[in-house]
Amino acid sequence: MSRTALVIGGGIAGPATALALQKAGIDAVVYEAHAEGADGAGVFLTLGSNGIDALKTIGADQQITRTGIATPQITLHSSKGKRLGVSRISSAAGTPSRTIRRAGLYRALYQEAVRRDITVHHGKCLVSAEDTEEAVRATFADGTTATADLLIGCDGVHSAVRKAVDPEAPAPSYAGLISLGGYTRDVTVDAEPGSYTMIFGRRAFFGYAVAADGEVWWFANLPRADEPARGEVERIGSDEWRRTLVEAFADDAGPAARIIEATSSDNIMTASPVHLLRRLPAWHRGRMIVLGDAAHAPSPSSGQGASLAVEDAVTLARCLRDTPSHAEAFTTFVDLRRRRVEKIIKQAARINNSKAAGPLGRLFLDNVMPFILKAAASSRYTEEVFGHHLDWDAVVWPAGVDGDS
Ligand SMILES: Cc1cc2nc3c(=O)[nH]c(=O)nc-3n(C[C@H](O)[C@H](O)[C@H](O)COP(=O)(O)OP(=O)(O)OC[C@H]3O[C@@H](n4cnc5c(N)ncnc54)[C@H](O)[C@@H]3O)c2cc1C
């Protein structure tokens, strides 16, 4: 049984994996490419009831449920201000989903790992990984190396570990959307604290949540057909984005343009193109495996990327704890995870398309969406996604062996 692991990536999956491995009796060290923590990374995300539940199994939920905004549901509006319906995004019984600043989630998980004596190295960008059969060796951009029994790639959608596992692995695809957002206290909106509203605008998609102290958190998805060059949209300044977005939402009902206009430049976060990874044929090879966005990146519309990453972390640790070899553990892990993540990715891709709907699509949204939402609100699907529960103590049986897992 292998007992040491190199965890590549210190975002969400990385620290969660190290915490879960520690609980399973495996020593893990985390290597993160950024020189510092991930402060300023992204805007905010919603951690589903299922993600919170998975964090609970490794005792890491409390810091998270103390911050952010409880988000049991999202209200959807059309560009004309018509209320399309309400989408339930929490399990009926569990902790409600929570909208959290992304950097805050990164920080909380990092701090929890450090508190439990897990070493997290910053400024360690993996450039290659070699499986020597007896061990696996990682080489970093600064020329240093590290060796362990296992290497776990938690290095996000543009994963280097994925390429080490399979040089022919598909590259992530560009989703046709640029995402950015910000925070402002300098606007008044007609919405209760704790509410989360999304608007299918004529030219772009908008979402805003109101924190308990009245601060408005917002994001926008702006369709752009051609894939931007690496770093291109990140270099565009806040003032230019404000102008572009105010123009994009100018003809829509609702407060989008007003909220953006009221946001100061230093509270508009860096923009990024959205990439997806729908299906990865090989998740592991030898002593290396990928999980989280490195293995499956759903569109942001799923609201599930972070939650699935935490579920992966817990599941992999249980597999390594209960199966006799890492090879069996990896096969069992993929067996347990692939169907679920690919189903969620497929469902989210449909919503993603509606964010960039043309005039016909918009007609469809306005007229058909209320019925879809009504069906979805009580659907098994919501419970299947947000009510997913992982039992840490249940024994995982190797793939192909009958038993409860
Ligand atoms: C606009 C947007 C909105 C989203 N909204 C939501 C949402 O509401 N709900 C939700 O659940 N999910 C959401 N997601 C998805 C969510 O952010 C990801 O699914 C989640 O962050 C995946 O976690 P991860 O740890 O796998 O990857 P990441 O969080 O990307 O972490 C990867 C880490 O690896 C590091 N790294 C990369 N390469 C290397 C290397 N070579 N060596 C060492 N370290 C490396 C990176 O610096 C990073 O810290 C959204 C994503 C986007 C883009």
Side-chain angles (χ1 to χ4, degrees), residues 143-169:
T144 57
T145 60
T147 304
D149 298 315
L150 302 172
L151 184 143
I152 302 169
C154 302
D155 50 343
V157 68
H158 301 291
S159 170
V161 178
R162 190 169 60 230
K163 283 279 170 209
V165 166
D166 176 10
E168 302 300 318

Side-chain angles (χ1 to χ4, degrees), residues 106-304:
Y106 276 40
R107 202 179 310 119
L109 290 171
Y110 163 73
Q111 284 171 350
E112 191 56 27
V114 171
R115 197 180 71 76
R116 297 190 201 177
D117 295 327
I118 291 168
T119 304
V120 180
H121 294 291
H122 283 101
K124 294 285 179 187
C125 180
L126 180 110
V127 286
S128 64
E130 188 192 354
D131 187 337
T132 62
E133 290 188 15
E134 284 79 38
V136 61
R137 186 170 62 235
T139 302
F140 301 98
D142 62 3
T144 57
T145 60
T147 304
D149 298 315
L150 302 172
L151 184 143
I152 302 169
C154 302
D155 50 343
V157 68
H158 301 291
S159 170
V161 178
R162 190 169 60 230
K163 283 279 170 209
V165 166
D166 176 10
E168 302 300 318
S173 59
Y174 169 58
L177 295 171
I178 309 296
S179 183
L180 74 159
Y183 305 92
T184 180
R185 294 179 190 281
D186 298 325
V187 71
T188 308
V189 290
D190 185 17
E192 293 295 315
S195 64
Y196 199 152
T197 308
M198 292 190 182
I199 302 167
F200 291 89
R202 283 183 179 80
R203 286 185 282 272
F205 187 80
F206 188 77
Y208 68 101
V210 185
D213 64 0
E215 188 175 38
V216 177
W217 302 13
W218 62 269
F219 77 88
N221 290 159
L222 200 61
R224 171 173 157 168
D226 58 313
E227 181 171 1
R230 205 147 188 168
E232 183 189 335
V233 298
E234 289 83 348
R235 281 193 293 275
I236 298 173
S238 308
D239 293 343
E240 190 175 336
W241 275 124
R242 192 186 303 98
R243 273 194 301 276
T244 305
L245 292 176
V246 166
E247 206 177 298
F249 293 109
D251 298 332
D252 292 337
R258 237 168 13 88
I259 291 173
I260 296 161
E261 198 141 39
T263 308
S264 63
S265 298
D266 51 353
N267 280 322
I268 296 181
M269 302 292 127
T270 310
S272 57
V274 177
H275 286 91
L276 318 174
L277 185 67
R278 287 173 212 271
R279 190 171 202 280
L280 182 65
W283 291 25
H284 60 95
R285 178 173 65 83
R287 295 171 177 272
M288 298 187 273
I289 190 163
V290 283
L291 53 77
D293 272 16
H296 47 73
S299 93
S301 316
S302 73
Q304 276 291 319

Side-chain angles (χ1 to χ4, degrees), residues 362-381:
R362 224 146 281 296
L363 200 66
F364 166 82
L365 279 177
D366 286 5
N367 293 304
V368 183
M369 188 62 104
F371 299 102
I372 295 178
L373 288 170
K374 204 167 173 190
S378 58
S379 78
R380 269 203 354 239
Y381 182 75

